[in-house]
């Protein structure tokens, strides 16, 4: 595997420059494979669990836990890879008592993730969200590729919105469709390929079956996103998979994600205050006739104002000084 496919490490110091590169490349490489790393599962969902329970467990896990890494691999429809990026977040604080599963955290540390360096030099997800939403708004043609991507997209949605997941799965897929649009899941696509289907199919197993070479360490978001991208391309090549038939479907849920135009919320434009109407020239004290006599107005106008309580609509007299 080419050394150029090594993941580019992104920290707080180089976040803006790397996002600028990604934003530029997305015009020519609009296929983005993603992967996330997070500190485990507080609730483990049985394989035969109903969809409502599956989403309830997803919401509980994602709401309570914090992302550690996010991986992007950019490619085009012809299989050309533009690059791999690995974003390291500072949100998760192991020493600070953030919720986690010890075995999952140990696995990440064994595979090279330095949690102390993440906390020291990592990216603040609030700042990432502010910058990344501008990229989403400017690139509506992007295709998002995942492997068993329910949790990856849920964490990415949490990062972008900086909010808890919605209460229902229909609201969830609506938000995913609004922010990300065209979504594909390689594990679901593998179900249509001979010798690739099966609930036990993991990303490493899929890579081995497809003879996809890994660059980097497993259980790191950059390397896993690259394997996801290469597996997606290889399935289309070897099995002639029509990606259009799988657009919007994620492994584990039946609700389809439908692309919707997403416009970032902007404050309404400020309205200019109305210009004051020019006053008539002052020509002297104003009188109008009432009850048989002349009553003097307190204003110096050509004629009395035409609203109560300053008129009756009677004859008036102007005495020039």
């Amino acid at each position: 595997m080419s050394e150029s496919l090594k993941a580019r490490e992104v920290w707080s110091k180089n976040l803006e420059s790397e996002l600028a590169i990604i934003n530029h490349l997305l015009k020519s490489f609009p296929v983005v494979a993603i992967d996330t790393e997070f500190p485990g599962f507080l609730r483990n969902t049985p394989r035969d669990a109903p969809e409502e329970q599956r989403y309830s467990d997803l919401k509980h896990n994602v709401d309570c836990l914090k992302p550690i890494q996010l991986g992007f691999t950019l490619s085009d429809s012809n299989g050309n890879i533009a690059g791999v990026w690995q974003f390291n977040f500072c949100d998760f604080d192991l020493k600070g008592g953030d919720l986690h599963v010890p075995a999952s955290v140990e696995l990440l540390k064994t595979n090279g993730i330095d949690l102390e360096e993440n906390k020291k030099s990592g990216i603040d997800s609030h700042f990432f969200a502010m910058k990344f939403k501008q990229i989403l708004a400017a690139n509506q043609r992007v295709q998002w590729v995942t492997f068993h991507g329910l949790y990856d997209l849920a964490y990415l949605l949490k990062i972008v919105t900086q909010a808890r997941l919605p209460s229902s799965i229909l609201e969830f897929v609506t938000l995913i469709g609004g922010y990300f649009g065209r979504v594909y899941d390689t594990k679901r696509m593998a179900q249509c390929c001979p010798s690739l289907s099966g609930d036990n199919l993991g990303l490493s197993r899929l890579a081995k079956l497809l003879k996809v070479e890994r660059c980097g360490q497993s259980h790191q978001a950059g390397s896993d996103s690259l394997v996801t991208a290469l597996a997606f391309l290889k399935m289309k090549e070897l099995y002639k998979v029509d990606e259009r038939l799988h657009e919007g479907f994620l492994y584990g849920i039946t609700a389809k994600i439908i692309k919707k135009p997403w416009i970032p919320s902007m404050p309404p434009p400020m309205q200019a205050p109305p210009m004051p109407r020019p006053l008539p020239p002052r020509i002297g004290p104003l009188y109008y006739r009432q009850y048989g006599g002349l009553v003097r107005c307190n204003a110096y106008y050509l004629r009395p104002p035409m609203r109560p309580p300053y008129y009756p609509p009677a004859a008036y007299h102007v005495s020039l000084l």
Side-chain angles (χ1 to χ4, degrees):
M1 184 66 63
S2 171
E3 203 53 33
S4 63
L5 293 183
K6 235 179 130 178
R8 298 166 65 101
E9 296 286 348
V10 186
W11 306 91
S12 60
K13 63 183 179 182
N14 64 335
L15 172 64
E16 293 189 72
S17 61
E18 294 298 322
L19 284 179
I21 294 172
I22 290 173
N23 187 44
H24 174 72
L25 288 173
L26 281 174
K27 306 297 186 292
S28 304
F29 299 88
V31 182
V32 183
I34 68 169
D35 183 78
T36 57
E37 298 298 335
F38 45 89
F41 301 90
L42 300 178
R43 290 183 186 172
N44 290 301
T45 307
R47 287 181 184 170
D48 58 349
E51 196 163 299
E52 293 75 13
Q53 181 185 343
R54 191 177 303 277
Y55 181 74
S56 175
D57 292 345
L58 168 79
K59 176 174 167 56
H60 176 79
N61 288 328
V62 174
D63 286 348
C64 293
L65 300 175
K66 297 178 180 178
I68 294 174
Q69 278 186 344
L70 170 65
F72 282 173
T73 295
L74 272 60
S75 62
D76 62 15
S77 57
N78 297 318
N80 301 306
I81 304 291
V84 184
W85 284 262
Q86 185 162 275
F87 298 87
N88 301 281
F89 292 102
C90 68
D91 301 58
F92 178 69
D93 187 358
L94 182 61
K95 293 182 178 179
D98 283 343
L99 291 175
H100 66 281
V101 178
S104 299
V105 169
E106 286 303 315
L107 177 64
L108 296 178
K109 292 165 70 174
T110 301
N111 284 278
I113 296 180
D114 188 341
L115 296 177
E116 292 185 7
E117 184 63 24
N118 273 40
K119 189 60 188 172
K120 176 183 175 184
S121 307
I123 303 160
D124 178 82
S125 64
H126 291 78
F127 186 71
F128 176 88
M130 181 178 64
K131 296 296 181 181
F132 188 60
K133 281 193 287 189
Q134 298 173 8
I135 295 177
L136 289 176
N139 298 277
Q140 297 288 310
R141 294 174 49 247
V142 173
Q143 297 172 265
W144 301 90
V145 180
T146 68
F147 177 84
H148 204 166
L150 191 57
Y151 272 85
D152 295 320
L153 288 171
Y155 273 106
L156 186 55
L157 181 65
K158 177 182 178 178
I159 292 171
V160 169
T161 61
Q162 290 295 299
R164 299 167 71 88
L165 294 186
S167 57
S168 74
I169 195 166
L170 290 179
E171 292 175 280
F172 173 75
V173 296
T174 300
L175 280 179
I176 294 293
Y179 277 98
F180 308 113
R182 302 171 67 186
V183 173
Y184 306 86
D185 192 324
T186 53
K187 183 163 184 175
R188 190 183 187 281
M189 292 171 64
Q191 291 181 313
C192 301
C193 302
S195 73
L196 295 183
S197 61
D199 289 335
N200 294 322
L201 182 69
L203 182 59
S204 295
R205 173 67 176 163
L206 178 63
K208 184 177 180 180
L209 292 172
L210 293 173
K211 298 182 180 179
V212 167
E213 185 181 349
R214 178 183 287 277
C215 181
Q217 184 69 41
S218 62
H219 297 292
Q220 288 207 22
S223 177
D224 284 357
S225 73
L226 175 59
V227 172
T228 301
L230 295 174
F232 178 69
L233 297 167
K234 202 70 175 285
M235 280 194 290
K236 291 199 298 179
E237 177 188 348
L238 293 180
Y239 296 94
K240 309 301 179 186
V241 175
D242 187 352
E243 63 190 60
R244 294 172 297 179
L245 299 178
H246 301 274
E247 182 177 316
F249 293 103
L250 295 177
Y251 184 86
I253 62 172
T254 58
K256 184 178 180 180
I257 297 167
I258 300 175
K259 176 178 173 56
K260 296 183 179 180
W262 179 75
I263 301 175
S265 57
M266 299 291 289
M270 294 185 63
Q271 299 289 335
M275 295 295 293
R277 296 179 63 181
L279 296 176
R282 295 175 59 176
I283 61 173
L286 178 66
Y287 298 84
Y288 61 85
R289 190 177 303 277
Q290 186 177 24
Y291 307 120
L294 292 177
V295 180
R296 176 169 176 163
C297 291
N298 293 326
Y300 286 80
Y301 297 134
L302 185 62
R303 61 182 180 178
M306 298 303 292
R307 63 178 182 271
Y310 300 106
Y311 76 90
Y316 55 87
H317 171 73
V318 175
S319 174
L320 297 177
L321 297 177

